[in-house]
Amino acid sequence: MFRRLREDTRAMCERDPAAKRCLEVALAYPGVHAVWGHRLTHRLWNTDFQLLARLLSHVVRMLTGVEIHPGATIGRRVTIDHGMGVVIGETAEIGDDVHMYHGVTLGGNTNEPVKRHPTIEDGVQIGANATLLGDITVGEDAAVGAGSVVTRDVEAGATVVGVPAKRVD
């Protein structure tokens, strides 16, 4: 457990030039705290303590401004820079080494009890206030520009921007 906490802290230190030292990140970065809180709530969610998981995730949201449904799956070294306003839905899947900024939404587009939120593969960067909707996949090492609205799959390594998001590279 402590190894994962150090790993998360180091990942943020490497990705955020404003981070002066890892102790500062561990103590004062709400995006990191939200991911740590999610690890606990996700474990509770998967062991049939779903009400408790939802209640704790609500407390984490109040403290950090980041809402992550306990059912979402989040990989290693996922970082949320600034954090405020991030929303990650129940069936979202996020791979390793993903970096996202404030205001990102990984939302659903149906009320049916199916996979309805995005899958974000390893190494993806998602800019501030980007909205990704539905059961789509953002491929490995892709980038989503700030303010973009993504409703279709994004190829690995691609950069997409705009409303609706289009490939620019």
Side-chain angles (χ1 to χ4, degrees), residues 7-169:
E7 187 176 69
D8 290 335
T9 303
R10 282 191 197 114
M12 183 57 88
C13 284
E14 291 169 5
R15 294 178 190 150
D16 184 1
K20 303 300 179 218
R21 52 189 72 79
C22 287
L23 180 60
E24 174 189 7
V25 169
L27 296 175
Y29 273 54
V32 172
H33 298 156
V35 170
W36 291 347
H38 176 265
R39 293 228 174 89
L40 172 62
T41 63
H42 186 68
R43 187 168 290 132
L44 290 168
W45 183 264
N46 288 329
T47 55
D48 289 329
F49 291 99
Q50 293 181 344
L51 178 60
L52 179 58
R54 289 299 300 262
L55 292 171
L56 285 175
S57 71
H58 184 70
V59 171
V60 171
R61 183 185 71 153
M62 287 190 302
L63 294 173
T64 66
V66 176
E67 181 174 345
I68 307 173
H69 191 286
T73 302
I74 296 181
R76 298 174 70 166
R77 298 172 303 277
V78 170
T79 51
I80 303 172
D81 203 344
H82 299 289
M84 186 59 74
V86 169
V87 177
I88 300 172
E90 177 183 13
T91 62
E93 299 175 37
I94 302 173
D96 298 336
D97 300 305
V98 171
H99 187 71
M100 64 183 81
Y101 291 88
H102 61 277
V104 167
T105 298
L106 303 180
N109 63 356
T110 181
N111 290 330
E112 301 299 318
V114 296
K115 171 81 167 97
R116 60 190 183 281
H117 297 93
T119 297
I120 310 300
E121 294 185 347
D122 297 347
V124 171
Q125 291 188 34
I126 307 173
N129 298 309
T131 301
L132 294 79
L133 297 174
D135 182 14
I136 61 172
T137 299
V138 178
E140 192 171 328
D141 296 320
V144 176
S148 297
V149 176
V150 183
T151 58
R152 292 194 168 100
D153 290 348
V154 176
E155 294 177 31
T159 298
V160 297
V161 299
V163 180
K166 294 189 182 337
R167 188 170 179 155
V168 294
D169 58 339

